[in-house]
Amino acid sequence: MASVEKREFEKYLKYLTLKVVQVVVQSRKGSPLKTKSTPAGRDWFNLSIADDKQVSGELKKTLDGKLPERDNPVCIEIQMETLEGHSLVLEVWSVSLDVSQRDIAVSVTHVLYPRLTVLLKSLLAITRTTPAYRLSRSNEELHFTYKVYLGSPDLSEQQKKDFKHVVFARSGCPMGTISLAVHYQPIITLPDRVPEHSDCTKAEVTSSPANTCNTLELPFLPSTSQSKLSPPTSVHIFGDQLTSKVPYQSQDSNHSNKEESATPDGATISRHPSITLLNHNDGYVVVDYAELKPAFAESGDELGDLLRQCKDVPQLDMFSDESRMDVPAALRLIEDKEDRK
Amino acid sequence: MNTRSHVLELTVTPVQVEGVIKALFHTILLHRTTGKYSYANPSSGTFSVGTVGVEDVDCTSFDFTYVRCASEELDEWLGDKIKGFTSSLCQQGGTNSGKISLEFFERKKARWLLPPEVVNWEVWHLHLVIIEPSSDQGWHNHTMQLANSLPESILYICEVMNRPEYMPQNPTYENLPNIYDTRFTTIQPYLHNVTYELTGESMAGAVRKLFRNTFAY
């Protein structure tokens, strides 16, 4: 009987950990949550929380079958990155199990399971109250990344002093006490913007789209002059920096033709096989010209070359130097041709 | 069994009253709501539980988001219940206060010839003090104060909800309507009710009565 309860408990703890990670990561996506109540639904903990496949995969790799412990909790770290490249740790959420605090009167199936449901609901409520949530909902220029790991929250001494630590939910059972906690920055100061540079290349990489040079403001309209035309390859690098740090772009895991690659952090990123698309605040989409294949172009031709080819339209024979004629003669020629028809 | 009683106090402007009440009461109701119970065989006592959906709600009169059960019926019912309190509190104008309560109760089986007994097992009182700042500094101070007090209230609610305290036992099929509110189609909160009183009105009424009685001689 004890072994059956222990197996049930380990299953509950495993799925609770998965749902905790899903709730925290999805709450920092920047969009409001909305799921449906269904009388016939049979979801874990009777709560409708979607499972993002990328997040599940990441967690499976990290945990490798292990469960959280008191000195080895499962931590979810939320970082914010500005467009200038500044990176800040905003929060560390944790799930832990303290086996030294047991409540032997609690039934795992009949009492603990409903209490874990309440625990998850508290997590849903609390994740909306920290400053990071407001930032993720209100500021499109900021990008949020997450990291999942086993072990104590990875905070510096200064961060431990500055961060607030709250244990907001606990639930005891014969195997120990499960706790949910968060270390978070109560006040987040955004770093100052990098001032505009006269050197366009530097500005493209470091500053926001609003501060880029004029050549990048209208990327779909290359100039006919060779000196002005510069395919925005630096924006491609800029795009790489963004996409490698924004795992939320790969939410559509059903899109089977997307490539996936892993960042050094272990979070996977996705790219469309032919185009990297970025959305900017000023409303247009930057396209990587190096990979774009314009219609009717020979392979290897760039869009600019195609347009230059089309610019030099071949002259009509009647206006060439060899067969130049005056206007009345040209009209007679045209009439003759029509009579022959 | 003693009724557990919890008190929350906040200072708000008239336009924020409804949003603050809904933010806190929906958070409480989220924790006190389960999926719909389905009894395969009413006599066996075993049942399965449906799924509760959740949704974010952005408050319109202040910068805050809360999570509620995905049930339009519950939101409409709560809105109707607090409408009277909200409009009365805002109409009086000036500095005013009121108390609105969310009570969870169960109906105990009737004893011989006696009606069923209604017993509160948890009550949440929300005291609201109404202010109308007259300066920009006043508005700023109030905004900062609300930005701190609302999350603290949510945290307190969550800490209370996770305490191992008395909860009504899972009912049999016959006893289900005595423990849970079964009128909602997709969710099942514990039996609950909303009551309120306006402290400003009761004070003014008492003073008017005192004057009337004094000058009656």
Side-chain angles (χ1 to χ4, degrees):
Chain A
M1 193 66 164
S3 63
V4 167
E5 262 208 343
K6 187 167 186 278
R7 273 202 303 276
E8 283 291 297
F9 170 76
E10 284 172 359
K11 193 167 60 170
Y12 294 169
L13 184 56
K14 174 186 156 192
Y15 280 98
L16 175 77
T17 307
L18 172 66
K19 290 297 181 182
V20 165
V21 175
Q22 292 284 359
V23 166
V24 171
V25 170
Q26 289 176 30
S27 70
R28 300 304 180 248
K29 274 170 66 174
S31 51
L33 173 70
K34 194 177 174 81
T35 59
K36 279 190 180 168
S37 300
T38 43
R42 298 291 175 260
D43 294 73
W44 268 99
F45 307 106
N46 309 117
L47 266 183
S48 179
I49 298 170
D51 283 331
D52 183 290
K53 284 183 185 169
Q54 186 205 20
V55 173
S56 304
E58 192 57 38
L59 183 64
K60 198 176 169 186
K61 258 193 304 183
T62 304
L63 291 189
D64 195 24
K66 295 186 196 118
L67 290 172
E69 295 167 7
R70 184 186 64 179
D71 297 325
N72 214 28
V74 171
C75 291
I76 308 113
E77 185 176 292
I78 302 291
Q79 286 192 17
M80 175 185 75
E81 294 202 2
T82 65
L83 288 169
E84 288 82 7
H86 299 282
S87 179
L88 285 172
V89 173
L90 298 183
E91 307 168 321
V92 182
W93 300 81
S94 60
V95 185
S96 64
L97 170 69
D98 186 355
V99 295
S100 65
Q101 295 186 13
R102 298 170 193 257
D103 188 344
I104 56 172
V106 170
S107 157
V108 169
T109 311
H110 298 110
V111 177
L112 178 66
Y113 188 83
R115 285 188 185 168
L116 295 183
T117 304
V118 172
L119 206 130
L120 271 177
K121 289 171 178 173
S122 298
L123 179 68
L124 280 162
I126 296 284
T127 45
R128 272 68 181 165
T129 63
T130 58
Y133 179 78
R134 292 252 56 86
L135 270 180
S136 70
R137 288 291 307 276
S138 59
N139 198 324
E140 289 174 357
E141 288 184 1
L142 298 172
H143 297 275
F144 293 82
T145 60
Y146 72 94
K147 194 166 71 171
V148 180
Y149 55 88
L150 266 173
S152 302
D154 187 18
L155 296 169
S156 63
E157 287 306 317
Q158 190 59 44
Q159 282 171 331
K160 282 178 189 167
K161 283 183 200 164
D162 295 339
F163 279 35
K164 263 186 143 172
H165 178 221
V166 177
V167 180
F168 55 87
R170 279 195 186 95
S171 199
C173 72
M175 286 77 190
T177 295
I178 299 170
S179 301
L180 294 188
V182 60
H183 288 80
Y184 71 95
Q185 280 220 42
I187 299 169
I188 299 171
T189 309
L190 294 180
D192 292 332
R193 283 186 174 278
V194 173
E196 288 186 24
H197 292 282
S198 55
D199 183 342
C200 287
T201 307
K202 269 191 190 171
E204 287 153 24
V205 172
T206 58
S207 56
S208 74
N211 293 339
T212 52
C213 299
N214 289 336
T215 52
L216 292 178
E217 283 182 4
L218 297 170
F220 289 106
L221 300 175
S223 167
T224 52
S225 159
Q226 186 66 36
S227 60
K228 281 185 189 173
L229 181 67
S230 56
T233 53
S234 55
V235 176
H236 178 66
I237 296 167
F238 186 58
D240 270 345
Q241 285 175 353
L242 279 181
T243 54
S244 69
K245 296 289 185 183
V246 185
Y248 295 124
Q249 285 187 0
S250 60
Q251 287 303 301
D252 183 6
S253 50
N254 293 327
H255 207 308
S256 57
N257 62 351
K258 279 195 176 175
E259 296 169 7
E260 285 194 350
S261 58
T263 67
D265 293 338
T268 53
I269 60 167
S270 291
R271 281 165 155 267
H272 193 279
S274 61
I275 277 177
T276 302
L277 295 178
L278 307 169
N279 279 324
H280 291 275
N281 291 337
D282 40 7
Y284 45 80
V285 177
V286 177
V287 178
D288 184 344
Y289 289 123
E291 294 178 356
L292 185 66
K293 296 289 181 282
F296 311 117
E298 293 172 11
S299 59
D301 280 350
E302 293 182 3
L303 180 61
D305 289 342
L306 172 67
L307 289 171
R308 278 194 291 281
Q309 283 170 22
C310 295
K311 182 191 162 221
D312 300 323
V313 180
Q315 276 192 337
L316 291 173
D317 288 341
M318 67 173 71
F319 296 117
S320 64
D321 287 336
E322 290 82 17
S323 60
R324 186 171 287 175
M325 58 180 77
D326 57 2
V327 173
L331 284 173
R332 278 198 296 279
L333 183 64
I334 292 166
E335 282 167 5
D336 288 342
K337 280 186 180 171
E338 280 185 0
D339 289 339
R340 270 180 228 147
K341 283 181 192 172
Chain B
M1 182 200 61
N2 292 325
T3 304
R4 294 196 298 272
S5 186
H6 305 283
V7 179
L8 302 167
E9 290 188 18
L10 282 101
T11 305
V12 297
T13 61
V15 75
Q16 293 169 338
V17 170
E18 185 182 351
V20 165
I21 297 172
K22 278 193 161 185
L24 296 176
F25 280 11
H26 268 303
T27 300
I28 295 165
L29 284 166
L30 172 68
H31 289 82
R32 293 287 182 241
T33 297
T34 73
K36 294 287 282 188
Y37 280 19
S38 305
Y39 292 85
N41 186 352
S43 57
S44 68
T46 56
F47 57 90
S48 57
V49 184
T51 294
V52 174
V54 286
E55 51 191 33
D56 282 327
V57 178
D58 296 325
C59 299
T60 50
S61 46
F62 50 95
D63 191 20
F64 191 73
T65 300
Y66 62 92
V67 179
R68 70 170 189 215
C69 297
S71 169
E72 286 302 322
E73 290 170 314
L74 182 66
D75 186 47
E76 276 172 26
W77 176 88
L78 185 63
D80 283 340
K81 280 288 185 178
I82 68 176
K83 205 189 299 181
F85 175 76
T86 308
S87 54
S88 303
L89 200 65
C90 298
Q91 266 171 14
Q92 293 189 31
T95 303
N96 214 328
S97 64
K99 180 177 79 172
I100 186 166
S101 304
L102 176 60
E103 303 167 349
F104 292 95
F105 62 93
E106 57 180 312
R107 291 193 197 98
K108 298 280 192 187
K109 276 182 191 172
R111 288 180 193 170
W112 184 64
L113 291 182
L114 292 171
E117 193 184 355
V118 172
V119 177
N120 283 346
W121 52 271
E122 186 174 83
V123 180
W124 291 85
H125 301 290
L126 175 55
H127 286 271
L128 292 179
V129 174
I130 307 297
I131 60 163
E132 287 190 83
S134 52
S135 65
D136 287 344
Q137 186 61 39
W139 276 105
H140 175 76
N141 290 345
H142 168 67
T143 305
M144 296 301 295
Q145 181 260 327
L146 189 64
N148 285 329
S149 57
L150 256 180
E152 280 174 10
S153 301
I154 299 281
L155 178 62
Y156 176 70
I157 290 169
C158 292
E159 283 173 351
V160 165
M161 293 297 178
N162 284 278
R163 290 178 193 165
E165 291 173 325
Y166 169 81
M167 297 288 293
Q169 282 193 343
N170 274 323
T172 58
Y173 178 73
E174 291 79 23
N175 210 29
L176 185 68
N178 293 329
I179 304 292
Y180 286 104
D181 193 332
T182 54
R183 69 186 133 154
F184 302 105
T185 49
T186 56
I187 56 164
Q188 190 174 277
Y190 282 104
L191 283 172
H192 60 284
N193 195 16
V194 173
T195 59
Y196 62 83
E197 63 181 63
L198 297 162
T199 51
E201 191 179 55
S202 64
M203 278 290 288
V207 169
R208 266 199 295 274
K209 197 173 169 184
L210 185 67
F211 272 115
R212 231 183 289 128
N213 291 340
T214 305
F215 291 109
Y217 291 100

